[in-house]
C-alpha cells in the first residue's frame, strides 16, 4: 500500500501523473480489488428507497419511504415532491442502519428508468449530487433488471426464467445471449396497476393487491371475465374495465369479484410463463416484483415449476416491492463488470426497456 502513497509533487504534476491527482480515484483503484460498498437510490414511482449493498452480496441497509396519495392513483409530481422532501432522511437512515460512513461509500447507483419522469429525475439528481460531492463513480441501473438481480441474489437462483410482476411492469424474461430477453409482456397496463385500480373503485385501501388477495380467500363463484393472451403477450385493461363494470352493476359480491379477478389474471400470467419455461427449458423459475407477495400466484408458479422439473424461487417480501437494495446490488455488479455512467450522460429514460441492457456481469 505504501508504494502507492502520493507525494505533493506527483499530485500537482501534469500528465502522465495527472491521473493520480485525485486521491479518491487512487483509493477506488485499490477498492476495486477488494470489497466495494454501493449506495443505491430507487425512485421510479411511489417508493423512495435507499439501499446499501457490498460487492460480497451483503445487503447492509434497505430503507423505504412510500408516498401515499390522498386520493386517486400516484400523481407523479406529488410523489416526486415526497421523494425530494424525504431524500435526506432516508439516505441518513440507510447509512445509520448499515453503520457506514458516507466516506466509505465507493459508488452511487440510481434507477435510471423505466418509471415516472419526475420521480426518476428526483432520484437521479440526488445521486449525481452525492457522487460529485463524495468524488465517487455513478452507475445508472435499469429498474427491471434490478428486480431480477435482487431475486437471484436473495434466492440463490443462477439462471432463472423470471416472471416480474409489479405496479408498473408485467414481464416474462430470461437471460439469453448477453441480455435479459422479453418472452412476453403486458400490452397495456401492469397487473399491479389493474389490481390497485380495481381496489380503488371498490373503496379498498391502497395498495390494492393485498386487499384483493384477502377478500378473494372467501370468494367462491367464478364470474365470467375477459381472459386476454395474445401470442405471448398479455392485456389487462379489458379485464379491468369488465370487473369494474361488474362491480358497479351490483350483481356480484366483492369477494367473488376479487376471487374471479385473481383467478383470471393469474391464470393468464401462468399460461405465458409456462410456455416460456417450456421453450427455454430453464431449470429455475423466479417470481419477483411487488405482486410476488401474492399466495395464489405463488401456488400457480409452484405448480408450473413442478410440472416442468424446475425449481421455484420467490423473492423475499422485503425485496419484492420497489426498494433501494436492488439498485445498490445491481449497481455494484454492473460496476464490477465495467459499467459506468458519467454525469454528463446520466439522464433518465422513463421508457428504458430491460432488453436494451447489455448484462455484462452475466457473461
Ligand atoms: P412494486 O411496483 O414492485 O413496488 O409493487 C407494488 C405492487 O404490488 C402494487 O400494485 C401492489 O398492489 C402489489 N402487491 C403488493 N402485495 C400484493 C399481494 N399480496 N397480492 C397482489 N399484489 C400485491
Ligand atoms: Mg418495480
Amino acid at each position: 500500500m505504501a508504494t502507492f502513497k502520493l507525494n505533493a509533487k506527483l499530485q500537482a504534476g501534469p500528465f502522465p501523473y495527472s491521473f493520480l491527482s485525485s486521491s479518491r480515484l487512487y483509493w477506488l483503484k485499490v477498492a476495486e480489488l477488494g470489497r466495494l460498498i454501493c449506495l443505491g437510490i430507487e425512485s421510479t414511482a411511489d417508493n423512495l428507497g435507499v439501499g446499501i449493498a457490498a460487492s460480497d452480496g451483503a445487503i447492509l441497509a434497505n430503507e423505504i419511504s412510500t408516498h401515499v396519495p390522498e386520493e386517486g392513483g400516484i400523481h407523479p409530481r406529488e410523489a416526486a415532491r415526497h421523494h425530494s422532501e424525504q431524500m435526506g432522511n432516508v439516505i441518513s437512515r440507510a447509512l445509520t442502519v448499515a453503520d457506514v460512513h458516507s466516506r466509505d461509500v465507493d459508488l452511487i447507483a440510481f434507477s435510471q428508468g423505466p418509471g415516472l419522469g419526475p420521480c426518476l429525475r428526483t432520484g437521479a439528481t440526488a445521486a449525481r449530487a452525492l457522487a460529485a460531492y463524495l468524488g465517487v463513480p455513478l452507475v445508472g441501473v435499469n429498474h427491471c433488471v434490478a428486480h431480477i438481480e435482487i431475486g437471484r441474489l436473495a434466492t440463490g437462483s443462477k439462471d432463472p426464467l423470471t416472471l416480474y410482476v409489479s405496479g408498473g411492469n408485467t414481464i416474462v424474461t430470461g437471460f439469453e445471449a448477453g441480455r435479459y430477453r422479453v418472452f412476453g409482456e403486458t400490452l397495456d397496463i401492469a397487473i399491479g396497476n389493474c389490481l390497485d385500480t380495481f381496489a380503488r373503485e371498490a373503496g379498498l385501501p391502497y395498495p390494492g393487491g393485498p386487499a384483493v388477495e384477502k377478500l378473494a380467500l372467501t370468494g367462491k363463484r367464478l364470474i365470467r371475465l375477459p381472459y386476454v393472451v395474445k401470442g405471448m403477450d398479455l392485456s389487462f385493461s379489458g379485464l379491468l374495465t369488465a370487473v369494474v363494470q361488474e362491480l358497479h352493476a351490483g350483481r356480484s359480491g366483492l369477494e367473488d369479484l376479487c376471487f374471479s379477478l385473481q383467478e383470471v389474471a393469474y391464470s393468464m400470467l401462468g399460461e405465458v410463463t409456462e410456455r416460456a419455461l417450456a421453450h427455454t427449458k430453464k431449470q429455475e423459475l423466479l417470481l419477483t416484483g411487488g405482486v410476488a407477495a401474492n399466495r395464489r400466484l405463488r401456488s400457480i408458479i409452484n405448480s408450473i415449476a413442478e410440472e416442468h422439473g424446475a425449481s421455484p424461487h420467490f423473492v423475499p417480501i422485503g425485496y419484492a416491492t420497489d426498494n433501494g437494495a436492488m439498485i445498490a446490488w445491481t449497481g455494484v455488479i454492473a460496476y464490477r463488470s465495467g459499467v459506468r455512467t458519467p454525469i454528463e450522460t446520466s439522464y433518465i429514460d422513463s421508457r428504458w426497456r430491460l432488453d436494451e441492457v447489455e448484462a455484462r456481469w452475466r457473461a
Side-chain angles (χ1 to χ4, degrees):
M1 296 287 257
T3 54
F4 284 93
K5 272 225 170 108
L6 305 178
N7 62 39
K9 208 169 154 197
L10 282 183
Q11 277 193 5
F15 188 80
Y17 297 116
S18 57
F19 74 101
L20 294 174
S21 63
S22 155
S23 57
R24 181 74 215 180
L25 189 59
Y26 145 69
W27 284 116
L28 245 181
K29 294 275 172 226
V30 175
E32 271 173 40
L33 307 172
R35 189 180 192 240
L36 283 176
I37 291 187
C38 177
L39 183 147
I41 300 177
E42 156 58 32
S43 69
T44 51
D46 52 347
N47 276 357
L48 169 67
V50 177
I52 299 182
S55 52
D56 58 9
I59 302 296
L60 307 174
N62 191 25
E63 294 297 303
I64 294 183
S65 173
T66 303
H67 170 67
V68 180
E70 275 171 25
E71 55 171 2
I74 306 172
H75 188 298
R77 272 196 302 276
E78 281 169 19
R81 190 177 318 132
H82 160 270
H83 297 349
S84 62
E85 282 168 5
Q86 292 300 317
M87 189 67 72
N89 285 339
V90 185
I91 291 174
S92 304
R93 255 169 36 210
L95 289 168
T96 305
V97 168
D99 197 17
V100 163
H101 194 278
S102 58
R103 69 172 165 264
D104 298 324
V105 171
D106 297 301
L107 69 142
I108 303 291
F110 69 104
S111 44
Q112 202 170 1
L116 305 173
C119 301
L120 283 168
R121 262 176 235 115
T122 306
T125 305
R128 285 183 207 114
L130 260 183
Y133 176 72
L134 297 172
V136 299
L138 187 64
V139 177
V141 166
N142 180 289
H143 174 91
C144 308
V145 168
H147 272 288
I148 303 169
E149 294 305 344
I150 197 73
R152 288 205 309 131
L153 175 73
T155 65
S157 56
K158 302 262 178 306
D159 181 31
L161 182 86
T162 302
L163 172 59
Y164 160 40
V165 274
S166 70
N169 296 283
T170 304
I171 301 176
V172 178
T173 175
F175 182 79
E176 296 289 342
R179 289 168 190 228
Y180 286 107
R181 307 287 169 174
V182 175
F183 292 105
E185 62 191 321
T186 181
L187 296 169
D188 40 55
I189 58 171
I191 173 65
N193 188 352
C194 174
L195 296 168
D196 293 342
T197 309
F198 171 72
R200 193 165 68 238
E201 289 286 327
L204 297 172
Y206 177 87
V212 170
E213 174 172 28
K214 198 163 166 221
L215 284 168
L217 289 174
T218 46
K220 289 183 185 67
R221 191 168 66 92
L222 187 64
I223 298 158
R224 225 183 152 80
L225 293 171
Y227 179 106
V228 188
V229 173
K230 301 182 181 184
M232 285 294 281
D233 290 328
L234 306 129
S235 163
F236 294 103
S237 63
L239 170 61
L240 174 62
T241 305
V243 74
V244 167
Q245 275 172 357
E246 193 60 30
L247 170 76
H248 293 315
R251 285 186 289 261
S252 308
L254 190 51
E255 288 84 357
D256 288 340
L257 285 166
C258 291
F259 170 71
S260 307
L261 175 57
Q262 284 210 147
E263 289 308 303
V264 173
Y266 297 157
S267 303
M268 287 163 54
L269 290 168
E271 179 188 330
V272 174
T273 304
E274 182 166 16
R275 257 191 275 141
L277 188 65
H279 174 75
T280 57
K281 297 193 167 49
K282 299 262 187 205
Q283 300 297 302
E284 300 163 320
L285 181 54
L286 170 67
L287 181 62
T288 192
V291 184
N294 189 277
R295 295 223 178 93
R296 178 64 182 130
L297 183 57
R298 284 173 177 236
S299 80
I300 291 173
I301 291 299
N302 242 327
S303 328
I304 294 172
E306 195 179 324
E307 180 81 21
H308 291 267
S311 56
H313 297 272
F314 304 101
V315 73
I317 301 291
Y319 301 133
T321 195
D322 293 345
N323 64 88
M326 68 183 194
I327 303 299
W329 170 241
T330 309
V332 88
I333 55 176
Y335 180 80
R336 277 256 154 115
S337 73
V339 177
R340 306 286 186 272
T341 309
I343 286 188
E344 308 79 64
T345 57
S346 64
Y347 11 74
I348 58 111
D349 180 352
S350 58
R351 293 179 175 273
W352 192 14
R353 283 180 63 88
L354 149 101
D355 50 7
E356 288 169 23
V357 179
E358 225 185 288
R360 295 191 207 172
W361 56 93
R362 292 285 319 262

